[in-house]
């Protein structure tokens, strides 16, 4: 949902640093990978969500380091 994406962007902006920039760009761009129709789109969404979990954990660790 758009609210979740806006919340993610807020977190990225607050934790942005030289060390976390590459991850922030990658996280912000994840919605671009959700394409297709029906099951294809759902599959891309699940992959993007899985990537988000991993990338966000790494971003948070770099943002607090």
């Amino acid at each position: 949902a758009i609210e979740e994406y806006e919340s993610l962007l807020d977190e990225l902006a607050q934790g942005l640093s030289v060390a976390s920039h590459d991850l922030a760009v990658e996280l912000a761009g994840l919605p671009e990978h959700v394409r297709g129709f029906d099951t294809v789109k759902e599959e891309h969404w699940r992959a993007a969500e899985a990537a988000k979990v991993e990338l966000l954990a790494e971003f948070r660790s770099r943002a607090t380091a």
Side-chain angles (χ1 to χ4, degrees):
I2 190 71
E3 295 84 11
E4 184 179 333
Y5 185 67
E6 289 173 342
S7 176
L8 173 65
L9 292 179
D10 286 342
E11 181 175 350
L12 296 177
Q14 291 175 9
L16 192 59
S17 69
V18 171
S20 65
H21 178 267
D22 58 332
L23 290 169
V25 170
E26 196 168 349
L27 280 158
L30 283 175
E32 294 177 19
H33 300 285
V34 181
R35 297 179 182 195
F37 295 96
D38 298 323
T39 58
V40 171
K41 188 171 187 171
E42 288 177 27
E43 191 176 307
H44 289 169
W45 181 82
R46 282 192 293 274
E49 283 296 308
K52 182 177 87 171
V53 169
E54 291 180 26
L55 292 169
L56 194 52
E58 179 66 23
F59 176 84
R60 288 174 177 160
S61 72
R62 289 187 190 183
T64 59

